[in-house]
Amino acid sequence: MAYWLFKSEPNTWGWEDQLNKGAPEEWDGVRNYQARNNMREMKVGDKGFFYHSVNEKRIVGIVRVAAEAHPDSKTDDPRWECVDIEAVESLKTPITLEDVKQHPELQDMVLVNNSRLSVQPVTEKEWEIICKLGGVKP
């Protein structure tokens, strides 16, 4: 299993929207090649953090990849693909970007070093640390 982080502006599509969907949702609209390539690497069952960007800058939930990369339904441009994700659980304690930056073992995390990338990999060790900090089982 691989681990990921999905960033979204909460006023566009937030964690509550994902939870309320109650079914897999296309993670569409990604227009960055590196983020798209990350989605191409995903397998059904991989898990990811749901991150509120912009003003909040915090990890708020856990999602599961429900469908592997496929054409993005929001465009006719064949270069763009997406995956489907579904909500798994909320973090008991949301983890801010500042929390991540202050943790010595998370200094190499993509979120710290390339915070603008909208879909990014997370190592197993990073996953375990953030889950523990967030009050959920890895």
Side-chain angles (χ1 to χ4, degrees), residues 4 30-42 80-81 117-120:
W4 308 94
V30 173
R31 300 296 180 264
N32 172 286
Y33 288 108
Q34 189 175 2
R36 180 213 54 198
N37 291 345
N38 286 335
M39 289 192 289
R40 285 179 171 175
E41 295 295 318
M42 295 177 186
W80 303 115
E81 299 174 8
L117 184 61
S118 63
V119 179
Q120 51 190 256

Side-chain angles (χ1 to χ4, degrees), residues 56-74:
E56 291 187 30
K57 296 181 182 170
R58 61 188 186 148
I59 300 168
V60 294
I62 294 176
V63 296
R64 180 182 308 113
V65 175
E68 294 178 13
H70 57 83
D72 184 330
S73 69
K74 299 288 195 257

Side-chain angles (χ1 to χ4, degrees), residues 15 25 29 47 58 95 115 122 130:
W15 179 240
E25 176 71 13
K47 290 186 178 174
R58 61 188 186 148
I95 305 302
S115 63
V122 173
I130 290 173

Side-chain angles (χ1 to χ4, degrees), residues 85-101:
I85 63 170
E86 58 189 348
V88 174
E89 68 180 310
S90 300
L91 266 62
K92 290 184 172 88
T93 304
I95 305 302
T96 67
L97 178 57
E98 269 312 303
D99 295 334
V100 172
K101 286 180 174 181

